[in-house]
Amino acid sequence: MSERTLSKRGQKNLPADDDFKNLVKNLLMHEELASYINKLPFSSRLLTYGDGPFGTRALRSALSNYFNDYFSPIQEVFPEHILVANGVSSIIDLVIAAIADDGDGILIGRPLYTGYAKDVSARARAKLVPVSAEGVDPMGEEMVEQCEKELQKQVKAGTKIAGIILCNSTLSIPTNNLIDPALVHILYGMSKDFSSNGLRCGVLLSQSNPSILACSKSIAVFAWPTSTTEYYWTSILNDRSFLDYYFAENSRRLAASYARVTSFFTDHGIKWIEGSNAGFFLWADFRGLLGADIIVNTEESEQVEAVAVNERPSQIYKTSKRAKKMDEWFFRKLLEAKVFIASGDAFFAEEHGWYRITFSLPEKVLLLGLERLESVLEEVKREGGPS
């Protein structure tokens, strides 16, 4: 279709060719889940609209029990607190449309998942505002000061901040004594914990703000989850025997893959951010490999700023021309060796030389990837840099 047939908004929303290359997924439990789902009976009711666009009563009940039993929330979760849509991206879109006006900002710590930029802007028309951690834990108390600094900066520039996205938080955050619970909304999905990116099912949990749920429901018809997906997830959530097996085995396999990758990193002198207790990837530091001068902000350093577009907010690196050149050269080497580890550039990293390494892969695939990565590391050490 010719771009000439698109509105100005439509042209701005055209995806880049590599928009979906950096999606992370857990492949370690696919066969077990497929086997479980294939044994479920399929009835003609699954060919209907179900209970409507907000999630079936059965799924919302199963989800509330799941949250209460597995997450130990401060406040008990009830089905009426929950809205279901076709993925967390759709949930983000619904929530941002409810809380933000066109051009409002949404704070989020960096590095960050690339897709958030489009989630908050493509339809809701807000903009993502990355907050630099500057060496502190992006989920630690020190980050509060960083967010406050960025908020004041944005307000001074004329941008209203409508919300903050906290990624990797849990239902057990004791917000009652820190913030009005009506301002706190939990977003959750099947993709990561249930290794089911393709089934597309996400949850909005808002325990103290019925207005957010009502506003989101008013346009939820555009994010209607399929009856089949809702049925699959309901069945899994209600089978505690399978859930206990699944989570234990998933954790065991993830831990084994994590151990393989961190052992490889240790053997090759590569550092990574430690201290996490869940997830599918590591934030790895290749700055030392690419040269000491990539780490510091030298006198000839430059502020590299990208123009804000719908799908990518502006970003500023602490960098130098050599750091940028070395990073791009290393990434080309990786692609030439047919090993894809995601460059920090895709996640609004604060410095060049950081990469996201996904380890939730079958053993054969993971070992092959590490073997190819090792060959690249040896080549980089021999050559020292681009000619």
Side-chain angles (χ1 to χ4, degrees):
M1 181 177 67
S2 171
E3 292 183 25
R4 290 178 296 177
T5 65
L6 299 176
S7 65
K8 291 181 180 179
R9 175 179 292 189
Q11 292 178 33
K12 289 181 179 180
N13 286 339
L14 282 173
D17 291 338
D18 61 351
D19 263 5
F20 300 104
K21 285 182 180 178
N22 291 328
L23 296 179
V24 67
K25 45 190 173 288
N26 178 13
L27 304 180
L28 296 177
M29 296 295 290
H30 272 187
E31 293 304 316
E32 285 75 11
L33 282 165
S35 176
Y36 183 91
I37 289 172
N38 283 334
K39 295 175 183 176
L40 296 174
F42 192 97
S43 71
S44 59
R45 175 171 169 73
L46 300 180
L47 302 177
T48 73
Y49 286 121
D51 295 342
F54 321 132
T56 63
R57 289 183 290 274
L59 177 55
R60 288 184 287 113
S61 177
L63 282 165
S64 63
N65 291 333
Y66 167 67
F67 289 142
N68 288 325
D69 293 346
Y70 284 85
F71 288 82
S72 302
I74 299 299
Q75 179 182 342
E76 186 177 359
V77 177
F78 294 99
E80 55 266 30
H81 296 151
I82 293 172
L83 178 148
V84 180
N86 58 0
V88 173
S89 286
S90 294
I91 294 289
I92 294 174
D93 175 60
L94 293 174
V95 172
I96 299 303
I99 68 171
D101 294 315
D102 287 11
D104 285 356
I106 305 295
L107 296 181
I108 184 170
R110 60 199 308 176
L112 57 103
Y113 163 56
T114 316
Y116 286 140
K118 186 174 288 294
D119 292 344
V120 306
S121 68
R123 190 171 65 164
R125 316 310 296 171
K127 64 179 181 181
L128 205 62
V129 179
V131 179
S132 294
E134 297 182 356
V136 306
D137 180 359
M139 290 300 296
E141 292 184 13
E142 301 92 341
M143 194 62 181
V144 174
E145 183 178 345
Q146 298 297 108
C147 288
E148 178 66 25
K149 283 166 49 179
E150 186 62 41
L151 185 150
Q152 296 302 330
K153 175 183 173 183
Q154 294 296 323
V155 170
K156 187 175 181 180
T159 297
K160 172 190 170 186
I161 298 300
I164 301 176
I165 293 177
L166 297 178
C167 188
N168 297 327
S169 58
T170 74
L171 292 175
S172 294
I173 290 180
T175 57
N176 291 338
N177 296 325
L178 301 175
I179 188 173
D180 182 350
L183 301 177
V184 179
H185 317 289
I186 305 295
L187 282 60
Y188 184 79
M190 283 191 79
S191 292
K192 302 304 185 287
D193 280 352
F194 290 88
S195 309
S196 301
N197 304 63
L199 289 181
R200 310 308 307 141
C201 210
V203 175
L204 166 60
L205 169 59
S206 188
Q207 295 168 285
S208 304
N209 194 328
S211 295
I212 286 288
L213 290 168
C215 185
S216 298
K217 286 180 178 180
S218 71
I219 54 175
V221 66
F222 301 112
W224 200 322
T226 69
S227 296
T228 306
T229 295
E230 291 185 292
Y231 166 61
Y232 289 159
W233 204 9
T234 302
S235 300
I236 292 170
L237 291 172
N238 283 334
D239 189 339
R240 291 311 167 95
S241 176
F242 177 77
L243 271 187
D244 290 342
Y245 155 74
Y246 170 81
F247 284 134
E249 183 61 16
N250 188 44
S251 295
R252 187 191 69 78
R253 295 182 188 183
L254 285 170
S257 294
Y258 173 87
R260 288 189 184 94
V261 175
T262 54
S263 177
F264 175 90
F265 282 176
T266 299
D267 292 343
H268 292 80
I270 299 169
K271 297 179 181 179
W272 70 94
I273 298 298
E274 301 184 55
S276 62
N277 58 12
F280 306 141
F281 53 82
L282 296 171
W283 191 238
D285 183 0
F286 288 88
R287 293 175 301 168
L289 174 73
L290 300 179
D293 59 341
I294 200 173
I295 300 177
V296 296
N297 199 9
T298 56
E299 291 182 1
E300 69 273 14
S301 65
E302 58 179 345
Q303 295 290 307
V304 180
E305 185 169 0
V307 177
V309 189
N310 281 339
E311 68 272 14
R312 282 186 75 82
S314 55
Q315 55 181 307
I316 299 178
Y317 273 99
K318 289 184 284 186
T319 187
S320 67
K321 291 181 179 179
R322 172 169 168 74
K324 186 173 184 291
K325 188 175 181 180
M326 286 288 289
D327 200 11
E328 292 173 346
W329 172 73
F330 178 53
F331 190 58
R332 286 196 302 271
K333 288 285 186 185
L334 292 167
L335 295 181
E336 290 169 1
K338 296 184 179 180
V339 54
F340 186 84
I341 59 175
S343 168
D345 178 61
F347 306 103
F348 311 104
E350 295 180 59
E351 299 170 286
H352 287 292
W354 290 91
Y355 283 76
R356 189 180 77 174
I357 315 290
T358 300
F359 57 81
S360 52
L361 303 169
E363 183 179 13
K364 289 183 179 179
V365 177
L366 184 61
L367 293 177
L368 177 59
L370 292 177
E371 181 182 318
R372 291 178 178 177
L373 176 57
E374 184 173 44
S375 69
V376 174
L377 298 180
E378 292 172 354
E379 189 174 345
V380 167
K381 290 177 181 178
R382 283 197 309 271
E383 298 182 12
S387 56

